């Protein structure tokens, strides 16, 4: 007796005498046809039973969501819609599912409803497809770096520094919030806290990754990242996963090449390995778009969009050029943007980023050489004294997917920058050491994994591409 997965059975062309399969009932109709799914594929296997051979009591327990074990014969299907099916000999109910209360009924549920039932939502086609793709993308990320000579490092989750300098951090403390130890001036005395200093959940593994790049050469970290920004948008999470490669002796141009090659490679991987899930999600998206007015529908299907990114060069545009384009754009002149671009130096809002990628260039865009004062302290100052070697990669439908830079490798310039921003040298003494001992040009970037999953699956809300989203006012499950 062989226990196989649904995926294995469906790819079988010969008939098999004795097969055993376990899974969850999706539907049971006419007291005869069970659609069974076990998570191994988007497809169900049809199990056909002769109800006269089974007790009424057992048949009643074959309900949507129930876990069952079936044995029988795999045969060519009599009906349409599937090539093979199981002629059931024995059937055992492993776990009942009360049809009165089981939330996931065989009908269309809203994504909001499914978010409230996130522990069961991967029992639907859409969410199982999304999460299989997420898993596959994650594997492709590790494969790419491994194939290209990078070392994977684990950067700390609890840290004493604010890498991005934005101050949007979750405090980690073991002090009693009701009566914390105080200094004489009434402030909290963190010397008495667990680590003897103030600590937070990390907003980026970059600074630690830099230390390893400056000894191991090519490294990357792929881990949970935390931001306490109160952004209730469809693209922000308080806990997300970031992929951060860091490479010694690589400049900004090399950084762009790496990011582009990396993204094309992982997308190619899923095009090759997750065809059925992508086709399902593509169809879902088409159905969803039918409800939208013609001018809001996308010109390309999901798979076409992914192929387009794989097959075309990303457009590389300097911040200065982008500002010129935006200043002269229709929505700017007609005051359709919420933030009108007036002069060089303005920070770009997502409406501007989306205009550039979706309306103007119609392809992924790498913006580089941003004004120093709108970017983080560690970025390499250009010779003009006012721009830094930063790059953001903007994607259609998503906006910012990647943020990266060439790092400031000159000790004195870095110290001055930190002083201007009130970043104490004592806090980052080890980071400064890298500039004292064998400093060199080096670069890296961070890619928000969930935004990549959004692009790949066509899902419109970042809460629907991570198993259990953490967002303001929400940490259920
Ligand atoms: O642009 P960010 O803030 O860059 C860094 O943290 C650098 N230290 C990376 C580096 O150079 N090693 O974040 C990088 C990416 C963004 O482009 C975005 O895709 C994602 O992380 N990201 C978020 N994703 C989901 N929710 C949030 N709140 C995010 N904040 C950033
Ligand atoms: Mg950024």
């Amino acid at each position: 007796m062989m226990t196989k997965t649904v995926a294995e059975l469906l790819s079988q062309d010969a008939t098999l005498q004795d097969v055993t399969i376990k899974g969850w009932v999706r539907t049971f109709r006419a007291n005869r046809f069970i659609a069974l799914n076990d998570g191994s594929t988007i497809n169900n296997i049809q199990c056909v039973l002769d109800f006269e051979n089974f007790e009424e009591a057992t048949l009643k327990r074959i309900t949507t969501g129930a876990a069952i074990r079936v044995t029988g014969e795999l045969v060519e299907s009599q009906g349409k819609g599937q090539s093979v099916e199981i002629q059931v000999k024995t059937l055992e109910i492993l776990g009942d599912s009360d049809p009165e209360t089981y939330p996931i009924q065989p009908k269309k549920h809203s994504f909001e409803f499914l978010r409230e039932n996130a522990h069961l939502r991967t029992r639907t086609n859409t969410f199982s497809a999304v999460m299989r793709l997420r898993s596959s993308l994650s594997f492709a990320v590790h494969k790419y770096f491994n194939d290209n000579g990078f070392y994977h490092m684990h950067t700390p989750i609890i840290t004493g520094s604010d890498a991005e300098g934005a101050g949007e951090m979750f405090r980690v403390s073991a002090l009693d919030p009701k009566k914390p130890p105080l200094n004489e001036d009434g402030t909290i005395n963190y010397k008495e806290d667990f680590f003897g200093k103030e600590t937070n959940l990390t907003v980026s593994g970059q600074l630690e990754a830099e230390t390893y790049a400056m000894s191991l050469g090519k490294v990357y970290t792929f881990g949970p990242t935390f931001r306490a920004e109160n952004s209730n948008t469809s693209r922000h999470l308080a806990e997300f996963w970031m992929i951060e490669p860091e490479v010694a002796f690589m400049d900004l141009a090399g950084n762009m090449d790496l990011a582009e090659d990396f993204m094309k490679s992982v997308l190619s991987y899923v095009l090759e390995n997750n065809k059925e899930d992508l086709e399902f999600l593509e169809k879902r998206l088409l159905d969803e778009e039918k409800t939208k007015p013609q001018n809001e529908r996308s010109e390309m299907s999901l798979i076409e969009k992914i192929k387009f990114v794989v097959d075309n060069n990303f457009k590389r545009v300097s911040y200065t050029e982008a500002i010129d384009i935006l200043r002269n754009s229709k929505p700017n002149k007609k005051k359709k943007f919420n933030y009108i671009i007036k002069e060089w130096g303005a920070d770009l809002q997502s409406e501007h980023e989306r205009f550039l990628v979706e309306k103007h260039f119609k392809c992924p865009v790498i913006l580089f050489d941003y004004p120093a004062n709108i970017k983080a302290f560690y970025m390499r100052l250009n010779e003009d004294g006012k721009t830094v070697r930063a790059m953001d990669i903007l994607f259609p439908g998503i906006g910012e997917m990647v943020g990266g830079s060439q790092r400031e490798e000159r000790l004195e310039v870095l110290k001055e920058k930190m002083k201007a921003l009130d970043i104490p040298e004592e806090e980052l003494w080890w980071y400064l050491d890298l500039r004292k001992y064998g400093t060199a040009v080096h670069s890296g970037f961070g890619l928000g994994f969930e935004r990549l999953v959004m692009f790949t699956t066509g899902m419109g809300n970042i809460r629907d591409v991570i198993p259990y989203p953490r967002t303001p006012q929400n940490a259920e499950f």
Side-chain angles (χ1 to χ4, degrees):
M1 201 59 87
M2 298 168 288
T3 303
K4 296 223 171 206
T5 64
V6 172
E8 285 166 340
L9 288 184
L10 291 179
S11 64
Q12 206 90 44
D13 35 35
T15 59
L16 289 175
Q17 281 304 324
D18 290 310
V19 293
T20 301
I21 189 106
K22 294 172 202 164
W24 294 271
V25 175
R26 284 291 175 83
T27 56
F28 182 39
R29 62 187 171 84
N31 247 357
R32 193 169 165 78
F33 303 105
I34 304 170
L36 196 68
N37 191 281
D38 66 356
S40 61
T41 152
I42 188 88
N43 300 307
N44 303 324
I45 193 154
Q46 173 153 288
C47 306
V48 185
L49 48 85
D50 197 343
F51 56 83
E52 279 156 13
N53 298 340
F54 295 87
E55 287 187 25
E56 186 66 27
T58 308
L59 294 174
K60 278 215 171 98
R61 292 169 65 196
I62 308 173
T63 56
T64 300
I68 63 169
R69 176 177 177 276
V70 160
T71 68
E73 197 176 333
L74 187 79
V75 297
E76 226 171 273
S77 178
Q78 320 280 301
K80 272 192 245 151
Q82 62 277 320
S83 58
V84 291
E85 62 191 19
I86 297 177
Q87 290 290 345
V88 180
K89 287 199 192 112
T90 70
L91 184 147
E92 186 187 342
I93 308 282
L94 302 174
D96 289 285
S97 173
D98 182 351
E100 296 297 314
T101 57
Y102 183 57
I104 314 294
Q105 293 299 322
K107 62 162 199 170
K108 216 173 155 63
H109 291 293
S110 75
F111 286 163
E112 289 78 11
F113 173 82
L114 291 171
R115 244 170 257 153
E116 286 164 16
N117 290 283
H119 60 308
L120 295 171
R121 68 179 172 174
T122 35
R123 302 234 189 140
T124 67
N125 283 334
T126 298
F127 284 91
S128 65
V130 167
M131 294 307 161
R132 274 189 297 269
L133 271 159
R134 184 182 165 108
S135 170
S136 204
L137 281 167
S138 173
F139 176 76
V141 167
H142 289 296
K143 178 169 161 41
Y144 177 86
F145 288 124
N146 191 59
D147 288 351
N148 286 281
F150 283 70
Y151 298 108
H152 180 208
M153 74 176 288
H154 297 111
T155 46
I157 289 168
I158 300 174
T159 147
S161 51
D162 176 4
E164 293 306 298
E168 291 161 332
M169 294 177 297
F170 291 102
R171 172 162 289 139
V172 174
S173 172
L175 293 176
D176 180 353
K178 285 197 213 98
K179 43 176 182 9
L182 299 178
N183 296 311
E184 276 171 12
D185 62 1
T187 56
I188 293 173
N189 182 4
Y190 286 105
K191 288 211 181 71
E192 288 191 28
D193 203 346
F194 190 93
F195 297 108
K197 62 190 276 192
E198 278 194 75
T199 48
N200 305 293
L201 294 179
T202 187
V203 296
S204 161
Q206 177 196 322
L207 305 190
E208 290 89 353
E210 281 185 54
T211 66
Y212 270 42
M214 295 305 283
S215 50
L216 298 177
K218 296 201 274 186
V219 301
Y220 72 104
T221 169
F222 182 1
T225 310
F226 307 87
R227 304 238 170 136
E229 52 191 334
N230 198 6
S231 313
N232 237 322
T233 79
S234 58
R235 305 178 311 131
H236 286 89
L237 290 165
E239 177 181 290
F240 63 100
W241 287 69
M242 189 159 37
I243 298 149
E244 294 181 279
E246 193 69 34
V247 181
F249 314 115
M250 184 176 76
D251 63 10
L252 188 64
N255 206 18
M256 294 186 206
D257 293 342
L258 173 65
E260 189 169 338
D261 187 54
F262 164 66
M263 296 182 78
K264 287 177 170 172
S265 163
V266 296
L267 291 174
S268 304
Y269 182 86
V270 294
L271 282 176
E272 254 171 61
N273 293 278
N274 296 71
K275 232 167 159 264
E276 285 178 338
D277 286 327
L278 285 172
E279 280 165 4
F280 174 83
L281 291 168
E282 170 164 281
K283 193 171 168 300
R284 185 203 77 78
L285 207 58
L286 276 174
D287 290 344
E288 185 185 272
E289 295 223 319
K290 280 187 195 143
T291 65
K292 291 185 185 167
Q294 195 76 44
N295 63 341
E296 282 174 33
R297 295 183 201 170
S298 61
E299 290 159 30
M300 283 185 244
S301 74
L302 180 65
I303 294 170
E304 280 169 346
K305 268 192 249 179
I306 300 172
K307 284 197 174 139
F308 181 87
V309 170
V310 170
D311 294 338
N312 289 279
N313 291 336
F314 295 7
K315 181 85 188 160
R316 301 181 185 192
V317 186
S318 75
Y319 167 89
T320 303
E321 288 170 77
I323 284 290
D324 280 341
I325 293 167
L326 287 167
R327 241 194 323 219
N328 295 316
S329 70
K330 251 196 204 158
N332 206 57
K333 286 184 167 159
K334 294 195 165 164
K335 302 209 165 24
K336 286 271 157 59
F337 285 141
N338 290 322
Y339 295 88
I340 304 302
I341 299 283
K342 295 204 184 87
E343 55 201 38
W344 192 93
D347 203 354
L348 300 184
Q349 307 296 324
S350 69
E351 57 181 343
H352 308 126
E353 297 177 343
R354 295 187 79 149
F355 174 83
L356 289 171
V357 287
E358 285 161 25
K359 297 272 162 12
H360 191 83
F361 291 111
K362 295 185 196 290
C363 71
V365 172
I366 311 183
L367 285 186
F368 61 93
D369 284 354
Y370 281 77
N373 58 356
I374 59 170
K375 288 290 180 188
F377 76 96
Y378 50 71
M379 297 187 182
R380 174 65 154 81
L381 191 65
N382 274 315
E383 271 55 59
D384 62 14
K386 57 176 193 175
T387 60
V388 284
R389 286 183 199 162
M391 65 168 201
D392 275 8
I393 304 186
L394 313 176
F395 257 59
I398 307 284
E400 183 188 331
M401 179 85 86
V402 166
S405 63
Q406 186 177 319
R407 319 306 189 187
E408 184 55 76
E409 84 283 14
R410 298 163 298 180
L411 182 64
E412 289 314 314
V413 182
L414 185 60
K415 273 186 177 173
E416 253 170 59
K417 190 74 174 284
M418 288 170 61
K419 201 166 149 203
L421 293 169
D422 277 332
I423 304 170
E425 280 184 29
E426 309 83 75
E427 205 178 274
L428 288 177
W429 61 273
W430 49 273
Y431 190 69
L432 291 168
D433 264 6
L434 295 178
R435 279 75 184 165
K436 277 189 211 158
Y437 308 115
T439 193
V441 164
H442 63 288
S443 305
F445 62 84
L447 180 146
F449 185 55
E450 283 73 22
R451 294 195 183 167
L452 179 67
V453 183
M454 282 177 81
F455 176 76
T456 314
T457 58
M459 297 297 277
N461 194 316
I462 201 164
R463 291 166 180 78
D464 295 331
V465 299
I466 186 165
Y468 298 106
R470 271 77 180 97
T471 50
Q473 299 300 310
N474 171 44
E476 194 63 44
F477 304 103

